[in-house]
Amino acid sequence: MTRLYNDPTAFADEMIDGFARASARWVQRVPGGVTRSTRSEPGTVALVIGGGSGHYPAFGGLVGPGLAHGAALGNLFASPSAQQVRHVSEAADLGGGILLSFGNYAGDVANFGRARDELIANGVACRIVTITDDISSAPASERHKRRGIAGDFTVFKCAGAAAERGDDLDDVERIARKANDRTRSFGVAFSGCSLPGAAEPLFTVPEGRMAVGMGIHGEPGIDERDVPTADELAELFVSSLLAELPDDIEDVRGARVAVILNGLGSVKYEELFVVYSGVARRLDAAGIEVVEPEVGELVTSFDMAGASLTLFWLDDELEELWRAPADAPAYSKGSVGPTVAADVWQADDETVAIPEASEASRSAALTVLAAIEALTTIVDEHADELGRIDAVAGDGDHGIGMQRGSGAALVAARDAVERGAGAGTVLALAADAWSDRAGGTSGALWGAVLAALGDALADDAAPDRASVAAGVTAATTAVLGFGASPGDKTMVDAIVPFRDALTAALDAGDSLAEAWSDAADVTELAAAATADLLPRMGRARPHAEKSLGTPDAGAVSFALIVVAVGAVLRDAATDN
């Protein structure tokens, strides 16, 4: 378990601060993460990586010459927000374009994708390569659905080396995709990991048993078996990975592979070396040449006891990049030559000007603020339960992510109201703060929801039944835009019934407070009904059966929030 922390919601921020101070030779802290503190060649490509915290050395420990130029660091096991990714990218930009690379998880895809779009809109060339190396998370026919685990490192290493030698953006992207296509990983766990402040681990494995095929966010495995000997584990690793070869390799004899035997947090290096002995013997027997293997911790999962094996199938081009020198806080190889300190990065003043608003809209902003206060309170009260629900088949971070996001939204909303903002601007600034502070899928979703409501309510008039209905409809459309459909066991299964019930009641002539209250009742039932669904998206998808009988955390939190907001609307209607 995690023993040393202050406020669990501040753990990631304090960790990043300590890491940057301890690693000043390589990195400097910037809003959203870290960038190199050494000078890089102007005009070259910048590789920006990232993901949730809790995986050190990934991602900040891999920033330095020959590797990444920056890392966007989210909350524990939650993707960084789009704002974080954009800030790190802007700080790392050298003028040759930016390659964003990360593991294939819904929150990362959403937030890095939005950051890419914003960078391109600002005139910065930007590409994305998602990493899909985990063979346990989807069949070979659906490799695009696989998650990224320790194979992240092979892509980062080769893309970083290509950028370092001056390749242009097209080539760095091509090399990253090629490295991903030739990387396969497989992992096991002997015990779950515990987030700071959590009384229980995210999942447990019975004594003497091993979870097979787990991910790096505490996702349970897809199978379970007795704990093997080191040689038996080596056999499981090697046989599983040799069963699926890259498309252009027909015979493994004579092939060259880079090998990563990765510890996930609590397995001792000595144990890993014993397992690697068995791995190496089996690869030798298969006629495979091993090139500069890595045994140790490169992508961890907090304090999880487990390990994974990665095979990276090389050709001449990839081997040169794999062997190339690198120097980062957690990884070094060869000599990168003398380094020169970069200029200290200075943040721009990002204080947002408050646009003019009508008196009616400013008055309505007080109700918006009261609603955000109410939803923050309800999230705080249920954070532990939301985390427990999420941990059944996911990574257990939903409660803490919702706390961070709603708390940031409340701070931003209060500031906006004090500065005379209208209802639309209060919601817009709360949306940006929620998305930025929470990160992860929930941060992206709730940022989109509040932003859509803010656009509909605007600042020029008091919100009415029509504008609220339009805002809820737009918010639902925004959530659906993330790819989920009704029945996938996500927040969609709560927000769609809420939209339908609200608009029907308003069309029937009900007041906003009455319609919202009735729709909230429908939403509570819809959220509870997700217990009968099997997840078809997100981190819970590979563990669908485990979640049967437990409702979706995102649907539950949405229902809690609309009920809390409904109480505020009833009070406001009574006052009027």
Side-chain angles (χ1 to χ4, degrees):
M1 63 180 294
T2 307
R3 298 172 178 84
L4 302 176
Y5 56 89
N6 296 311
D7 177 358
T9 64
F11 184 91
D13 297 314
E14 294 177 346
M15 178 276 295
I16 296 167
D17 181 68
F19 163 68
R21 290 173 183 270
S23 307
R25 171 186 156 195
W26 297 275
V27 303
Q28 59 178 325
R29 188 166 189 185
V30 300
V34 296
T35 60
R36 293 185 189 179
S37 60
T38 54
R39 193 176 300 278
S40 300
E41 188 67 26
T44 55
V45 174
L47 171 64
V48 175
I49 63 176
S53 297
H55 303 302
Y56 191 86
F59 297 90
L62 305 179
V63 173
L67 265 165
H69 296 76
L73 305 173
N75 192 30
L76 293 173
F77 293 177
S79 75
S81 67
Q83 295 94 321
Q84 288 180 281
V85 178
R86 178 170 53 81
H87 288 319
V88 172
S89 299
E90 290 169 344
D93 185 18
L94 297 165
I98 292 170
L99 179 69
L100 303 175
S101 191
F102 49 90
N104 184 34
Y105 298 91
D108 294 290
V109 171
N111 286 302
F112 278 85
R114 178 180 160 198
R116 173 202 54 199
D117 295 344
E118 292 174 352
L119 289 165
I120 291 173
N122 290 335
V124 179
C126 185
R127 312 280 175 79
I128 280 179
V129 174
T130 55
I131 301 165
T132 56
D133 60 300
D134 180 15
I135 68 171
S136 300
S137 53
S141 60
E142 297 182 321
R143 284 195 59 224
H144 64 285
K145 294 183 179 180
R146 288 179 171 174
R147 59 197 174 202
I149 53 174
D152 287 4
F153 182 76
T154 68
V155 178
F156 299 161
K157 178 66 179 67
C158 292
E164 200 72 32
R165 73 183 181 187
D167 290 12
D168 64 19
L169 184 57
D170 287 340
D171 267 342
V172 175
E173 179 189 13
R174 176 186 63 80
I175 285 164
R177 294 191 184 281
K178 182 178 179 181
N180 182 57
D181 289 342
R182 286 173 157 259
T183 301
R184 306 286 189 278
S185 300
F186 185 76
V188 300
F190 311 107
S191 69
C193 52
S194 302
L195 298 181
E200 301 292 337
L202 293 179
F203 71 94
T204 58
V205 181
E207 188 71 26
R209 300 284 282 174
M210 174 180 75
V212 178
M214 34 50 66
I216 59 169
H217 298 90
E219 303 99 333
I222 58 175
D223 190 16
E224 192 179 283
R225 60 184 67 182
D226 290 341
V227 173
T229 65
D231 264 354
E232 288 169 343
L233 180 56
E235 174 61 28
L236 174 64
F237 277 156
V238 173
S239 62
S240 298
L241 293 175
L242 292 188
E244 184 187 316
L245 302 176
D247 295 338
D248 59 347
I249 295 181
E250 298 179 358
D251 184 359
V252 300
R253 302 199 71 82
R256 292 165 291 163
V257 296
V259 180
I260 300 173
L261 182 59
N262 179 65
L264 282 157
S266 293
V267 174
K268 297 295 293 180
Y269 274 62
E270 288 86 347
E271 295 174 90
L272 293 174
F273 289 132
V274 174
V275 175
Y276 184 74
S277 175
V279 169
R281 291 196 307 272
R282 285 163 174 79
L283 294 175
D284 288 344
I288 297 171
E289 178 186 350
V290 175
V291 177
E292 296 191 3
E294 298 289 345
V295 179
E297 294 179 344
L298 288 170
V299 182
T300 63
S301 184
F302 232 71
D303 59 337
M304 184 189 293
S308 64
L309 184 70
T310 299
L311 297 185
F312 177 32
W313 299 85
L314 302 171
D315 61 9
D316 290 345
E317 179 180 47
L318 294 176
E319 182 172 344
E320 178 184 344
L321 296 167
W322 178 252
R323 292 180 180 272
D327 185 31
Y331 183 83
S332 63
K333 174 182 283 191
S335 174
V336 298
T339 57
V340 179
D343 295 333
V344 177
W345 192 82
Q346 299 291 333
D348 295 329
D349 182 6
E350 294 197 345
T351 301
V352 177
I354 299 298
E356 291 291 327
S358 69
E359 183 176 347
S361 184
R362 289 197 301 271
S363 177
L366 296 174
T367 302
V368 171
L369 175 58
I372 295 174
E373 288 173 338
L375 73 84
T376 301
T377 298
I378 204 72
V379 166
D380 285 342
E381 290 174 353
H382 291 82
D384 289 345
E385 177 64 8
L386 292 172
R388 184 197 66 78
I389 293 172
D390 190 38
V392 170
D395 52 23
D397 70 337
H398 186 73
I400 195 169
M402 292 291 289
Q403 275 187 302
R404 286 167 61 95
S406 60
L410 179 56
V411 171
R414 284 174 173 163
D415 175 70
V417 167
E418 289 174 1
R419 293 196 286 147
T425 294
V426 170
L427 283 164
L429 294 178
D432 194 59
W434 190 317
S435 172
D436 188 24
R437 183 65 175 164
T441 306
S442 66
L445 290 171
W446 277 98
V449 166
L450 296 186
L453 288 169
D455 286 343
L457 268 56
D459 291 330
D460 55 355
D464 56 19
R465 296 160 70 254
S467 62
V468 172
V472 170
T473 297
T476 305
T477 300
V479 171
L480 289 167
F482 285 87
S485 301
D488 284 347
K489 194 166 187 172
T490 69
M491 178 177 164
V492 165
D493 294 302
I495 194 171
V496 168
F498 177 74
R499 175 202 62 189
D500 293 346
L502 180 71
T503 54
L506 290 174
D507 288 345
D510 289 355
S511 69
L512 176 60
E514 293 170 335
W516 192 287
S517 180
D518 290 344
D521 291 340
V522 171
T523 306
E524 285 189 293
L525 294 174
T530 61
D532 299 326
L533 299 176
L534 292 174
R536 299 194 298 238
M537 286 193 68
R539 293 177 188 169
R541 178 181 55 82
H543 320 293
E545 286 73 17
K546 292 180 180 291
S547 76
L548 195 61
T550 301
D552 175 69
V556 171
S557 61
F558 181 83
L560 289 169
I561 285 172
V562 295
V563 169
V565 172
V568 172
L569 294 178
R570 287 195 301 273
D571 291 344
T574 300
D575 292 341
N576 292 333

